[in-house]
Amino acid sequence: NAGVRELVARSLNVIAADRQAEMWPSAPPTLSTPAQLANTPQVPSVEVRDRISLRVNGHDHTGGSATDTLLDWVRDEAGLTGMKEGCAEGECGACTMLLDGVAVMSCLVTAAQADGCHVTTVEGLTSPLPRAFVNDFAVQCGFCIPGFLVAGERLLEENDDPDDDQIRLALSGNLCRCTGYYPIVEAVKSAAVEIRERS
Amino acid sequence: MTVGSIEPRFDAEGKVTGEATYAADRVPADALFAKIVFSNEPHARMVAIDVSAAEATDGVVAVLTAADVPVNEYGLTMFDQPVLVGLDDTGRSVVDAAVSRWEADKVAIVIADSPAIATEAAGRIRIEWERLPVVDTIEAARTDDVLVHAETDSNTYYELRIRKGDMARGWAEADVVVEGTYQLPHQEHAYLQVEAATSWIDEEGRVAVETGGQWTWEDQHQIAHALDIPAEQVRVIYAAVGGAFGGKEDMTLQIVMALAARKLAAMNIDRPVHCRWSREESIVGHHKRHRATIHSRLGATNDGRITAIEAEVLLDAGGYNFTSNKVLGNAHLSVAGAYDVPNAHIDSRAIYTTSVPGGAFRGFGGPQGAFAAETQMNKLAEALGIDPVEIRRINSLRDGSEGITQALMPEGVTLPQVIDRCAAEANMGGELFEAQPFTPIASLPPEADAVVRGRGFASGYKNVGFSFGFPERCEAEVHLHGDEGDDHPTSADIYHGGAEVGQGAHQAFRQMTAEATGVSLESVRGHFSDTATTGDSGSVSASRMTFMAGNSILGAAEEAEKAWRDGERPAVGMFRYTPPPTETLDPETGVGQPNFSYGYMAQAVEVSVDTGTGHIRVDRVTSTHDVGRAINPHLVRGQIEGAVVQAHGYVLGENLVVTDGRIRNPRLSSYLIPGVGDIPEHVESVIMELADPLGPWGARGMAEMPYITYAPAVIAAVHDATGVWFDEFPLTPSRVLAALSARS
């Protein structure tokens, strides 16, 4: 494939010229916390028990179905249906939750892996971001929106003045079919302004 | 004024807190679960089916087959599809129910205590099939060697013609003729919310189905037909709907879930039943934007006047009609463009194959027709050395023009103004806008020498409302509240069936109700999309809902106002709006008035193309629309941006792989829709408000229009940049590179 050949050639030329770092983003969002990053890569030790416990949005929940995905567990056991399943393969981001502060696709995490963790869903968000989504018309059908909000709020905790590239990187794991993304990016910026003004 | 005001959407509140519930979020605690079993056979005749092992599975409550369907047929515009493919059917159907013509034809409904048990039991159903030849291309199907529907005499089951003027004269007057054959691909709707439904018998004994769709009344009547019960015994309710785009206009779970509820009732089991499709089931299990082949010849004089067009439109309908006959009608009207064409010879055909069915998808045949029409116009401009904007000015329809079907265009033809405005906003004829250096891979520096830039233009029209003689209507009911002595009502209720699928319809309904009744927006309560309380709105499709609902609300408000003056409290007004009638086209000549209103649009697109890798970035889109009146300008902008990005996926990347009648990439990881990093750098939404004489407050429909002209505008921009015309897309890097290297 000629296109792949061209891209490989360009890459090798860039490396030969020692320019490989030129385009790297200076502060890419990680949607994670420094402590979590320091520990990566980590292999979670998972002990599958009959019953597991999660702290969801500050409330303790205990239930069975340890082999469920985290998404199904939160929806069925904790009874919180705000996070959605759009693909069940980590592609659409509609199920994005914070697991001990790290944004994860909860359809790809088993409930057992999350045992004892703190989980945040759309129902537990506290920032000005949801309000900004309403005001900036970032919501159409709304099905993808909880995932965008969780990822977006995590971004704003990490960086309260993100530029367009940083916002796009942070939201690159979330799909929307209605809005074309423009008002979503705007809403993240509006919320960032408000957060900076508050602090 | 509430109309025209940028009011935040009232339904957005619940959607940002997680409180809004979609069909899959509303599973009753005592629900049973259904698994819908697909045939997985693009073309085969059932010889035997054995469900005994499934029925014997622990936790299985019932297994339904074709024998359980009273009238085993359905279809939005033709009953050509069995509800369940199978044997021992009641015989009360025009279609041979033993034949599967689609891999997603349904064969059984398994009802069980859990989804896992239902799925496991479904795997125990044994079916013996006699495989029939797969006819998975238009060419193969047109020979009629294999008939997809034995009850028809040809796979070419629906045809439309236009015979206008004198073709010999048209060609004789032409100084230049351009000719092209265009291949249009499938597109998957990829709404984020996959299909789900819950059904039960409600407190009034009705079969109730709660789901997401586009037209409660039609769902209700399709269910009633298949179950052979009066429509009043069926209730359809929509929960929040997570996107539709035409893909939820046809039946998916509605009928089968109604059957499941009836079966449970017959077994004296008083439990609701729920079903949620997986993404794979959704992509395999509903129709797509039609694959099409269009051939067109366009003649014009040296000074740019069109003299003749000859065209053939072939739509791959797949195994069932869905709405293909109506989609074909729109492609038929679009293929000559929104131009004054004196001589025309157009043949349009819908063809059954055993491939993936085509159906409604934003634009509804318009994108296919307009792609050929606008690419032909851009090629003609090039051949004549005339500016692409100027050639459109010369030929544009205007007030008083006769349309392609030899009927006077409905008053309010604003295309010339829209073209001029778009050209001015986009600086057509001047310099390109500045753009950031383009690199196809974010971590690599741009290769400035490899990047070329260009600009393209396209314009067009799209009908608002149902066409071709369909009995178009829309009902609304308004209640006004207040004390007997009050001069003016203090609050209002609006009852309306129109579906909220994400576009903001219910927000627009509330704003229009406030405007029509004089009640403040906060004091308008909405009651929507439940056949128990709301009337027939018609479908949210055809860019019709604002236009039709607005007129119905105006009428209902006027009726309520009369009752108010008569002292009634609450004052109730009901109204059924019917626009001017339209006509079916003459089968030989295509003469007739197909539509009562149109929306007009023009788009300019600027691109950067990396000629080393074949990647394309859209730098700027100027999307210009006469919307008549923007009921809420930010909702309009949302439709423009969303449609542009959906069309961006269509022309540049989305690639449904279909072989032997089967979809090979039914997942979001292999069927790629645009993400936030893939979209045009800038979309300029230009909203014009030139009133439609029939529109409520002058409003026209607009939600499909930004989609329709985007692909040909991109193709023209890529041609401007590279000198290559692409008659086929998506413009994947490998397709672009192959064409660029063939050129050099």
Side-chain angles (χ1 to χ4, degrees), chain B residues 164 338-341 395-417 593 598 600 693 700:
Chain B
K164 182 182 186 202
Y339 305 114
D340 194 348
V341 180
N395 292 287
S396 170
L397 292 171
R398 53 201 72 230
D399 264 329
S401 293
E402 184 182 83
I404 195 71
T405 63
Q406 302 176 58
L408 200 63
M409 289 298 293
E411 206 184 319
V413 183
T414 55
L415 185 58
Q417 295 95 307
Q593 176 57 279
Y598 290 88
Y600 299 92
R700 299 170 189 266

Side-chain angles (χ1 to χ4, degrees), chain A residues 120-165:
Chain A
T120 306
T121 69
V122 66
E123 289 94 342
L125 298 184
T126 54
S127 78
L129 192 60
R131 171 60 34 201
F133 267 56
V134 174
N135 292 341
D136 287 343
F137 285 74
V139 180
Q140 287 191 25
C141 90
F143 197 80
C144 68
I145 293 303
F148 276 99
L149 287 170
V150 171
E153 184 158 312
R154 188 67 200 81
L155 167 71
L156 293 175
E157 282 169 17
E158 199 176 315
N159 177 355
D160 67 8
D161 192 12
D163 62 24
D164 279 18
D165 282 343

